[in-house]
Amino acid sequence: MQTGETHFNERWAEIIGYTLDELQPINIQTWLKFVHPDDGSESDKRLTEHFDGKRSFYECEARMRHKDGRWVWVRDYGKLVSRTAEGKPEWVVGTHIDISGLKELSERFEAFADLLPGVVYQYQQRPDGRSSFPFASQGLRHIYGVAPDAVKEDAALVFEAIHPEDLPRVARTINQSAQQGQDWVCEYRVIHTGTPRWVFGHARPQSGIDGSVLWYGMIIDITERKKLELELEKSQANLKLAQKIARTGHWEANLETGALYWSDMVFQILGFERGEVEPSVELFNSLVYPEDLTAVRKSEQEAQQIGIHDVQHRMFTKSGELIWVHELAELQADGVTLIGTVRDVTTQKQLELKLQQQAVIDPLTQIGNRRYFHQALQREYNRYQRYHTPLCLIMFDLDHFKRVNDTYGHAMGDKVLKATAEVVGTNLRQQDIFSRIGGEEFAILLPGLDVSGGQLVAEKLREAIATNPIDDNGTSVSVSATLGLVAISEDIDSEEQLQQIADRALYLGKQKGRNCLITADKTLY
């Protein structure tokens, strides 16, 4: 870079129709002589950005004049490998790859892509947060009202056309696709003519060598389909048109004779080869999870009344794997034939169950949260009303916890909370219910224990908390807890009152100096 000294191999000369000897003497002017002036300027710009640290390596596509007069396209990669003692760029090494054939193919593809409905595109997200559409067919104008050339370097105009309510979801799904390496699939609204229109996008991500992510995909206008789908949802229709349903099989059953037809997908869902078994209602029922069989039969009976069979249940596959399926069918005019679908919804069900669990689990301590506690409190109170079984409630919080955060920081405060949850959890029975209901506030339900049994547990917990300091990188933090205990009785009219009494006992303990257990008597009712 300082002297212009340049080295090319024989293949470099062949790309433009020469031998290396024909090009002698070789220096930087050799490159400048053959490169297209417009592309040479872009090359210099990108090379400078690489030298300045704005690009991890140099990359450029450029035209070079062939010996026969035509232009040859090359993809130019390079990297700075040394600097002078003064810090100036010195040697750069790199490669030129002949991409003329790819360029010709690309031009043909662009012409073909412009004939397709919707937009075919390549979307790039760089490590620094910048994004662009290096390629987009002319359908981009129809979908977003934006010319393809306007977003080659900056994708902002496309995102400005997305409905504001849908933009966060689109951005989130793009990030999830980049992080997980899974296809991006999204339905959302676009506004560029004053009227929102629905579009459907599907793209596949690829990781670039510079840390960027490239998606190759297509976006189509689904407004008319979406209108119909929304109308069907409003009328609570069970089948949605124009929706791709994964792993869905067709079946037909005669409720009178037990005859059953399965499509190939039903065999696949259940792990059988066609011809391996003879489908029948009896066989199907034998594969239904025993606890769910009643719900399946009830739905079949209801179908004879209302005409619709709609049930989700578990089934065993041939291998013994337990899956979730959704059966949806309609009773025909003969009154005995059900025609419908069965869909494998295992993934969706697992996600649903996971979300249900997350809704009642405190993410920091991994014990129950406030919602979980109140559900359990109501359940245990109702059990007491029916069976008069003993029940104790302990409310406690950590003494002077704010000092821990102020002195050691919130990270240490979080460790104290997690450690407290672990210590308490190890000293409880399996049937005990432990929850975090606030910052440093906790609640414990002790089913089956009377006041004396509850006191023994509470005092054991108080001592365990006080005698288990938390160590972190040489720092030891000791905490104590104040506990309020109440045993349920006929004088307590509701679960809310039970919690209020325990709270009063807790705060009385704070007034008495903390690090103690207060058992509520009737003065606190």
Side-chain angles (χ1 to χ4, degrees):
M1 292 306 301
Q2 301 305 313
T3 67
E5 181 183 352
T6 306
H7 299 276
F8 294 120
N9 65 1
E10 191 69 44
R11 174 59 187 147
W12 189 91
E14 289 175 4
I15 290 176
I16 52 176
Y18 293 90
T19 66
L20 209 53
D21 289 339
E22 289 180 281
L23 298 177
Q24 297 293 343
I26 291 173
N27 54 44
I28 193 59
Q29 293 302 318
T30 310
W31 157 256
L32 298 175
K33 174 183 175 182
F34 288 101
V35 71
H36 191 288
D38 293 344
D39 301 336
S41 300
E42 180 64 19
S43 170
D44 289 343
K45 173 188 169 186
R46 296 190 178 203
L47 201 58
T48 300
E49 289 176 351
H50 173 51
F51 294 159
D52 293 343
K54 296 178 181 178
R55 296 175 179 267
S56 57
F57 63 93
Y58 158 76
E59 178 187 11
C60 186
E61 290 184 359
R63 290 161 289 183
M64 294 179 63
R65 178 70 74 180
H66 194 274
K67 187 176 183 179
D68 61 14
R70 60 190 170 90
W71 290 107
V72 177
W73 277 96
V74 297
R75 181 172 289 128
D76 188 3
Y77 290 109
K79 190 170 183 64
L80 182 66
V81 295
S82 68
R83 291 182 181 271
T84 66
E86 294 79 22
K88 296 180 179 180
E90 190 177 31
W91 282 100
V92 180
V93 298
T95 61
H96 280 167
I97 303 171
D98 186 346
I99 60 168
S100 302
L102 289 175
K103 277 290 183 181
E104 183 179 350
L105 264 178
S106 176
E107 290 172 2
R108 291 180 182 177
F109 174 74
E110 288 184 27
F112 171 71
D114 289 339
L115 299 175
L116 294 173
V119 55
V120 179
Y121 67 92
Q122 181 192 53
Y123 172 67
Q124 182 177 30
Q125 206 173 60
R126 297 181 178 86
D128 61 6
R130 294 180 297 138
S131 63
S132 63
F133 287 83
F135 167 77
S137 65
Q138 291 299 320
L140 196 74
R141 298 177 185 271
H142 169 67
I143 297 292
Y144 294 104
V146 176
D149 287 342
V151 290
K152 278 187 177 291
E153 297 297 329
D154 187 350
L157 290 176
V158 162
F159 288 95
E160 288 175 6
I162 296 175
H163 194 291
E165 293 179 5
D166 297 345
L167 184 58
R169 176 166 51 85
V170 173
R172 183 175 68 253
T173 56
I174 291 174
N175 289 333
Q176 289 174 346
S177 175
Q179 293 168 4
Q180 300 171 5
Q182 297 177 347
D183 284 9
W184 172 73
V185 180
C186 193
E187 290 184 2
Y188 54 96
R189 290 164 293 179
V190 172
I191 305 176
H192 71 82
T193 59
T195 303
R197 299 192 64 80
W198 280 93
V199 299
F200 170 79
H202 187 178
R204 183 152 294 173
Q206 287 186 356
S207 298
I209 59 177
D210 61 347
S212 64
V213 180
L214 291 167
W215 282 266
Y216 299 87
M218 186 173 186
I219 297 172
I220 58 175
D221 189 324
I222 60 167
T223 302
E224 296 306 316
R225 191 205 82 184
K226 196 67 179 180
K227 284 181 181 178
L228 180 59
E229 184 179 313
L230 293 174
E231 288 171 4
L232 289 172
E233 288 178 359
K234 288 178 182 178
S235 63
Q236 298 183 343
N238 293 306
L239 295 176
K240 295 181 180 179
L241 300 181
Q243 182 179 14
K244 185 179 180 182
I245 304 177
R247 290 179 63 78
T248 301
H250 166 76
W251 57 271
E252 183 175 326
N254 187 305
L255 300 178
E256 194 172 80
T257 66
L260 181 64
Y261 163 81
W262 285 348
S263 69
D264 289 341
M265 182 54 74
V266 179
F267 282 96
Q268 185 177 330
I269 289 172
L270 297 178
F272 294 102
E273 296 290 337
R274 179 172 284 281
E276 184 179 353
V277 293
E278 183 65 32
S280 68
V281 172
E282 182 182 1
L283 171 62
F284 188 84
N285 287 341
S286 72
L287 297 172
V288 174
Y289 190 67
E291 293 181 10
D292 297 348
L293 190 56
T294 300
V296 174
R297 288 175 174 165
K298 180 181 178 183
S299 180
E300 291 172 351
Q301 292 169 0
E302 289 178 348
Q304 296 179 343
Q305 304 295 324
I306 64 175
I308 297 295
H309 172 55
D310 187 356
V311 63
Q312 289 190 22
H313 61 88
R314 290 162 289 183
M315 290 191 72
F316 290 105
T317 66
K318 174 188 173 182
S319 66
E321 178 188 2
L322 193 62
I323 63 172
W324 279 90
V325 298
H326 180 199
E327 288 188 74
L328 182 61
E330 187 175 53
L331 187 68
Q332 302 305 292
D334 61 9
V336 296
T337 303
L338 276 175
I339 296 179
T341 59
V342 58
R343 181 162 61 101
D344 184 346
V345 294
T346 306
T347 301
Q348 298 95 307
K349 201 67 180 180
Q350 289 173 342
L351 178 59
E352 178 185 322
L353 294 173
K354 182 178 180 181
L355 290 174
Q356 289 175 356
Q357 182 184 25
Q358 289 176 344
V360 295
I361 296 298
D362 175 53
L364 177 65
T365 60
Q366 293 301 300
I367 61 174
N369 61 14
R370 178 185 290 271
R371 175 186 292 183
Y372 176 76
F373 167 70
H374 284 294
Q375 291 174 351
L377 179 59
Q378 184 178 41
R379 183 177 67 248
E380 295 302 322
Y381 182 79
N382 291 339
R383 181 178 287 117
Y384 166 76
Q385 286 188 311
R386 289 195 303 271
Y387 306 114
H388 296 285
T389 54
L391 174 67
C392 285
L393 169 62
I394 300 172
M395 303 288 289
F396 78 88
D397 66 15
L398 300 182
D399 300 329
H400 304 298
F401 184 71
K402 186 176 183 299
R403 293 181 188 174
V404 175
N405 283 330
D406 292 344
T407 305
Y408 303 101
H410 287 279
M412 174 59 86
D414 287 347
K415 289 180 180 178
V416 168
L417 292 173
K418 288 193 287 186
T420 298
E422 291 173 3
V423 167
V424 172
T426 58
N427 284 280
L428 293 176
R429 303 168 301 166
Q430 185 175 359
Q431 65 265 41
D432 295 335
I433 300 161
F434 182 29
S435 303
R436 179 186 177 202
I437 60 172
E440 69 272 23
E441 296 179 84
F442 297 85
I444 304 168
L445 286 166
L446 303 173
L449 292 186
D450 59 16
V451 65
S452 59
Q455 287 174 325
L456 289 174
V457 172
E459 187 57 37
K460 179 181 177 182
L461 296 178
R462 186 199 64 75
E463 184 177 352
I465 294 170
T467 57
N468 282 277
I470 295 85
D471 295 317
D472 181 53
N473 295 325
T475 300
S476 181
V477 178
S478 295
V479 293
S480 62
T482 301
L483 299 85
L485 169 70
V486 59
I488 198 164
S489 70
E490 294 181 356
D491 297 321
I492 297 175
D493 298 327
S494 65
E495 62 265 30
E496 291 86 357
Q497 185 185 7
L498 185 69
Q499 183 178 352
Q500 290 169 358
I501 295 170
D503 276 331
R504 293 181 192 129
L506 166 61
Y507 286 107
L508 180 60
K510 289 184 177 182
Q511 294 171 3
K512 289 181 176 293
R514 293 181 169 84
N515 191 19
C516 63
L517 166 66
I518 298 295
T519 300
D521 56 24
K522 291 189 177 181
T523 63
L524 296 178
Y525 284 21

